[in-house]
Amino acid sequence: MSEGQGNDLSKPAWQHIAWIVGALLAALAAGALFDLAWLFAAIVLAAMLAYHVRNLIRFEHWLRFRSEEPPPNMDGLWGEALAITHRIYRRKVFHKRHVTSLLREFRRMTSAMPDGAVLLGPNREILWFNRTAGQWLALRRKLDYGRRIDNLVRNPEFVEYLDKRGAMAPPRIHLPKQGDRWLLFRLVTTSDAGQQLLILRDVTNEARLESMRKDFVANASHELRSPLTVIGGYLDALADEPGLDPAWQQPVQEMRRQSDRMRNIVQDLLELSRLEAQGGEAELAPVDVAGMLALIRKDALARPEHPAEVELHLDSDALLLGSESELHSIFSNLVSNAVKYTPAAGRVDIRWWTDEKGGHVEVRDTGIGIPAEHLPRLTERFYRVDAGRSRKMGGSGLGLAIVKHALQRHGGRLDVQSVEGRGSTFSCHFPRERVAPRAETSL
């Protein structure tokens, strides 16, 4: 236990009190000899008051000019108080210099960062930004401090990202007026007081390369479409020719299958390019999910090879608000994959239901399943778990990529659960605002 904790008053304080009491007793004793005890006591108290006022003035003067003058020479309780204050002041100066040094180092480091950084207050006001962020967003030091960043960066996607407090995927935004850049924004909460750090990354080169790739794929797909149609037509005519040499019948049939497979790939590429080019949210047309899933199930059962059981479970008659063609593409791709990779003795279950979170479509199968290490990459273009098996079955490797992009346009998400050898479950989750009761749409 320290001295301050063990005693209410320190040793100099007790000595000062004892000195005051002793001086008063001596004044009373001396005054009693002249029958003026109270006068002597008043004189002693006045002298003490003058002493303390003088020390207080010196102490106050040093406090105001402590950075320029050394501490005065004072004894007793005043000297103790001065020593404690001086130690606190020196400690404060040390910490201030240390914090200033750290702040300067931090500013040097952030200025050298390849990424931009903006510190935002609880109301999105700009508290600080580094040089890179200032250049990319055309921010002005001191003039833009305290201003809301959404008033300076006017982009609907960026404002939506801020409104959702970073809950949605970080947006990549094109800023043509700021050097024709593409910037990736990421919001990080830094404290309980509501301060947030906005990180900016320049992804212009990646965006341009992706745009070039998309343009190339779209153009190549369009150019391949016509030749494949011609080749397919001639192969169909050749296969139906009665005088075809029997030795050529099998090669012609194989060429027809490969031609059909290439046409399917081109069609999927065109569909994926269309989804990427459209962007934004899908329309809000009412779609009868139950009827659509019934037709998709009927098509699955009409295939030459399909599982023994393909069951449809309709737990809701609600409608989905979206694009009918894109929703059909989502559901048909999932059901087609389930039927394709489920053996003849297996089972496929299709379910549609709604709850307080929104609408849900689930496709569950008892097929071959997917190893866990492949699940994160399923929605990549041309990604195949078993390339040899997928090509043999005629898969293009684009179906789940189309599902992902179409779901994003409907504000939905895809959830995949699978155990190798025991089957897979693909679930599409749509937001509540995309679900409409059938009674409302019929009015």
Side-chain angles (χ1 to χ4, degrees):
M1 183 180 294
S2 65
E3 183 180 352
Q5 292 174 330
N7 303 293
D8 293 334
L9 295 175
S10 62
K11 184 177 179 181
W14 282 113
Q15 291 177 347
H16 188 70
I17 293 174
W19 181 79
I20 293 175
V21 173
L24 285 175
L25 292 177
L28 290 173
L33 298 176
F34 302 96
D35 199 18
L36 297 171
W38 293 111
L39 178 61
F40 275 62
I43 294 173
V44 170
L45 290 175
M48 290 182 181
L49 179 61
Y51 169 78
H52 285 295
V53 169
R54 175 177 176 273
N55 284 339
L56 179 61
I57 293 174
R58 295 175 65 194
F59 190 74
E60 187 272 340
H61 176 79
W62 175 77
L63 286 177
R64 286 193 291 117
F65 300 98
R66 62 184 181 276
S67 60
E68 303 172 5
E69 299 180 2
N73 186 16
M74 302 171 67
D75 55 2
L77 190 60
W78 281 103
E80 184 73 13
L82 182 65
I84 294 174
T85 305
H86 189 48
R87 284 197 300 269
I88 294 175
Y89 171 68
R90 286 188 300 175
R91 192 179 301 119
K92 173 189 170 184
V93 170
F94 171 78
H95 287 299
K96 183 179 180 180
R97 290 175 179 172
H98 182 63
V99 170
T100 303
S101 175
L102 290 177
L103 182 59
R104 288 174 179 171
E105 185 66 23
F106 174 75
R107 287 181 174 175
R108 283 195 295 266
M109 292 175 61
T110 53
S111 297
M113 283 175 54
D115 295 341
V118 182
L119 184 63
L120 303 177
N123 298 317
R124 301 179 190 170
E125 69 274 15
I126 298 176
L127 303 179
W128 169 87
F129 57 86
N130 67 350
R131 184 181 305 169
T132 304
Q135 293 175 351
W136 289 351
L137 299 179
L139 301 178
R140 299 163 297 177
R141 291 195 178 277
K142 297 183 180 179
L143 293 178
D144 289 334
Y145 285 155
R147 298 182 63 184
R148 290 172 60 99
I149 192 169
D150 47 355
N151 291 335
L152 300 173
V153 182
R154 297 180 178 274
N155 184 282
E157 191 176 1
F158 175 66
V159 174
E160 181 184 6
Y161 180 63
L162 293 179
D163 289 338
K164 294 185 178 181
R165 295 284 181 175
M168 60 181 287
R172 188 174 63 183
I173 297 175
H174 184 213
L175 300 175
K177 295 183 179 180
Q178 281 79 31
D180 195 24
R181 298 180 185 274
W182 284 87
L183 298 180
L184 180 68
F185 291 83
R186 185 180 297 275
L187 195 63
V188 180
T189 301
T190 60
S191 67
D192 296 335
Q195 291 186 351
Q196 294 178 310
L197 184 64
L198 185 66
I199 306 296
L200 294 75
R201 175 165 296 177
D202 189 350
V203 292
T204 303
N205 292 333
E206 293 87 339
R208 289 173 179 171
L209 287 174
E210 185 176 350
S211 178
M212 292 172 59
R213 176 184 59 79
K214 290 179 180 178
D215 292 341
F216 169 77
V217 170
N219 293 332
S221 301
H222 279 289
E223 293 298 327
L224 288 172
R225 193 175 188 178
S226 297
L228 285 174
T229 302
V230 174
I231 293 172
Y234 278 113
L235 288 174
D236 292 340
L238 189 60
D240 296 336
E241 177 64 36
L244 182 65
D245 189 340
W248 282 96
Q249 289 181 356
Q250 185 174 354
V252 169
Q253 292 298 331
E254 180 61 25
M255 285 188 287
R256 290 181 66 187
R257 283 195 295 270
Q258 294 301 327
S259 176
D260 290 340
R261 178 170 173 267
M262 290 184 68
R263 278 203 299 266
N264 290 334
I265 292 177
V266 169
Q267 188 62 36
D268 286 345
L269 282 172
L270 290 173
E271 176 69 13
L272 192 55
S273 298
R274 184 185 65 82
L275 290 173
E276 291 178 337
Q278 285 180 339
E281 293 188 357
E283 58 188 282
L284 296 174
V287 177
D288 184 2
V289 179
M292 180 180 290
L293 292 177
L295 291 176
I296 292 175
R297 173 181 177 271
K298 185 178 179 180
D299 292 340
L301 292 173
R303 294 188 175 197
E305 297 180 1
H306 60 80
E309 297 179 81
V310 180
E311 300 296 333
L312 177 61
H313 310 275
L314 301 175
D315 299 335
S316 173
D317 63 348
L319 306 179
L320 267 180
L321 301 178
S323 168
E324 183 174 0
S325 61
E326 293 178 18
L327 290 175
H328 185 275
S329 179
I330 294 172
F331 304 146
S332 61
N333 269 299
L334 295 180
V335 174
S336 175
N337 283 343
V339 171
K340 190 183 301 181
Y341 295 105
T342 301
R347 177 187 177 96
V348 174
D349 289 284
I350 309 168
R351 184 187 173 203
W352 159 243
W353 81 97
T354 58
D355 55 23
E356 67 279 358
K357 296 181 180 179
H360 315 274
V361 173
E362 178 184 273
V363 180
R364 183 190 300 268
D365 65 66
T366 59
I368 60 176
I370 304 169
E373 63 269 20
H374 295 285
L375 293 179
R377 301 188 59 189
L378 282 181
T379 56
E380 295 181 11
R381 300 182 183 203
F382 299 109
Y383 185 80
R384 293 182 174 91
V385 176
D386 186 344
R389 183 184 180 97
S390 298
R391 290 192 178 95
K392 183 179 179 181
M393 294 183 173
S396 66
L398 294 170
L400 291 180
I402 293 174
V403 169
K404 173 187 173 183
H405 282 80
L407 272 175
Q408 287 177 347
R409 279 181 34 83
H410 288 79
R413 61 181 178 86
L414 178 66
D415 179 51
V416 183
Q417 297 180 359
S418 183
V419 178
E420 189 174 7
R422 296 176 58 183
S424 307
T425 301
F426 289 78
S427 303
C428 301
H429 304 286
F430 297 91
R432 186 170 54 185
E433 55 268 20
R434 286 276 178 179
V435 179
R438 186 178 297 269
E440 288 186 5
T441 59
S442 63
L443 293 178

